[in-house]
Amino acid sequence: MTTAASRCSIRIEDDGCGMDETTLARAVDPFFTNGEKHRNRRFGLGLPFLKQQIETVGGTMEIQSEPGRGTTVDFAFDQTHLDAPPVENLPETVLTMMNFPGDYELLFERHGGGGSYEVSRCALLEALGGMDTALELTLAKRYIRGLDEEFTP
Amino acid sequence: MSKLTLDDLRKLRETKKREMSQRDMEIKDTQVIVGMGTCGIAAGAKETFNAILDELDQRGVHNVALKQTGCMGLCYSEPTVEVILDGMPPVIYGKVNAEVGRRIVDQHIVGRRLLNDHIFDKPAADILQ
């Protein structure tokens, strides 16, 4: 069962080389990779695993990509779905997602109980000047925790 | 905990940077790299990462770079944590749960002593770049 009232939405966006239609159609095929990241590897499991997990909890997933303009992956799921894993410490989880290296935007939105909040990685990076040092990470964690505590009913 | 705005974060960052202690400057360029591949996360690397961050914050050590990487090839010893500190050999610690993560901050980063019971490897040449 899914309800719009308890949804987490995540958008990951880059401005990389993007994918053409043929590649995009196979992006969630576990036995396909373009071989550019790991020359001898014949499979790519990241997006297929994500799709499987999202489908398990009745969520939605969409990939948009265009050569030369980058890729955007949107997915959303219901935290209260019977098969959803425990939320545990959500601010810490969001922080470790935001700290993952690379040049990309990650937008996290949480909706529920009549309220919502969002955290943008780019906005955090701009405010903190980076997200590598313990100082920057500690401040980012305080920011996310503050939003989440105010949100939680 | 009161809610912070992005503007509050900018101000706090500037204030904290001005307050950084001499000890912080001495351990500048220290890197702590947590293996956050699927194997690491399944073994509890997220808790390790946050315990290290919490311990650094509690001790007021703010200059350490805390980063993530993928699998270091030591899946049997996850969670793994690499520590690179000037004047000490770079080491990869294994089976680093939250408690060991806090010990790494206390003993290795602040005390400059290795945790001999958790050293699993030193980085291979291809990881060192």
Side-chain angles (χ1 to χ4, degrees):
Chain A
M1 185 182 82
T2 59
T3 60
S6 60
R7 224 150 168 82
C8 280
S9 309
I10 296 174
R11 163 171 284 191
I12 301 166
E13 194 173 26
D14 71 24
D15 57 358
C17 60
M19 292 181 273
D20 58 32
E21 275 185 39
T22 313
T23 309
L24 183 57
R26 300 193 66 189
V28 292
D29 175 353
F31 299 105
F32 171 77
T33 178
N34 64 8
E36 285 178 12
K37 192 174 176 188
H38 302 285
R39 203 170 290 169
N40 297 318
R41 196 171 286 180
R42 295 288 174 265
F43 49 85
L45 300 180
L47 287 172
F49 272 160
L50 176 62
K51 183 170 184 282
Q52 184 187 46
Q53 293 296 314
I54 288 297
E55 285 175 352
T56 302
V57 296
T60 58
M61 175 176 165
E62 187 185 0
I63 307 173
Q64 297 173 62
S65 191
E66 203 177 313
R69 302 198 64 173
T71 300
T72 302
V73 179
D74 284 292
F75 58 97
F77 57 93
D78 185 338
Q79 299 159 229
T80 59
H81 189 281
L82 187 64
D83 293 319
V87 173
E88 295 182 346
N89 192 326
L90 197 57
E92 288 189 353
T93 302
V94 175
L95 182 76
T96 47
M97 286 162 58
M98 299 270 170
N99 175 253
F100 193 81
D103 190 13
Y104 61 93
E105 164 67 319
L106 194 156
L107 187 66
F108 174 81
E109 289 179 30
R110 191 177 184 197
H111 301 265
S116 69
Y117 71 86
E118 70 170 46
V119 184
S120 156
R121 183 175 187 261
C122 285
L124 269 178
L125 285 172
E126 188 275 323
L128 294 169
M131 225 184 316
D132 282 333
T133 66
L135 171 64
E136 293 152 1
L137 286 165
T138 300
L139 292 175
K141 190 173 174 177
R142 279 184 59 187
Y143 173 75
I144 301 168
R145 189 179 285 165
L147 291 173
D148 200 65
E149 281 181 359
E150 190 176 83
F151 163 83
T152 305
Chain B
M1 182 178 290
S2 60
K3 193 173 92 172
L4 296 172
T5 64
L6 288 172
D7 205 37
D8 294 334
L9 279 190
R10 284 187 197 97
K11 289 174 187 159
L12 271 170
R13 173 176 168 258
E14 290 310 312
T15 309
K16 290 275 186 186
K17 281 212 157 183
R18 280 197 296 270
E19 289 172 1
M20 275 189 183
S21 64
Q22 178 64 32
R23 182 184 58 186
D24 265 359
M25 301 321 287
E26 283 169 4
I27 59 174
K28 195 180 173 189
D29 299 330
T30 297
Q31 291 185 63
V32 179
I33 305 164
V34 182
M36 300 278 275
T38 310
C39 49
I41 292 170
K46 185 168 73 73
E47 287 72 25
T48 302
F49 181 95
N50 279 287
I52 291 171
L53 178 61
D54 186 53
E55 192 67 25
L56 288 169
D57 183 42
Q58 280 185 28
R59 289 170 175 275
V61 180
H62 292 125
N63 239 351
V64 170
L66 182 56
K67 299 179 177 179
Q68 298 182 30
T69 189
C71 174
M72 296 192 207
L74 301 166
C75 305
Y76 63 96
S77 62
E78 293 290 349
T80 49
V81 174
E82 182 179 354
V83 181
I84 303 169
L85 201 158
D86 197 29
M88 293 185 74
V91 290
I92 295 178
Y93 291 111
K95 299 195 184 298
V96 183
N97 58 19
E99 185 260 329
V100 177
R102 290 181 187 279
R103 276 179 58 206
I104 288 174
V105 174
D106 174 48
Q107 200 170 312
H108 188 141
I109 295 172
V110 177
R112 299 184 73 86
R113 284 175 291 120
L114 298 175
L115 278 71
N116 291 325
D117 53 339
H118 280 275
I119 295 175
F120 274 70
D121 204 357
K122 58 179 183 178
D126 58 341
I127 296 178
L128 282 171
Q129 298 173 354

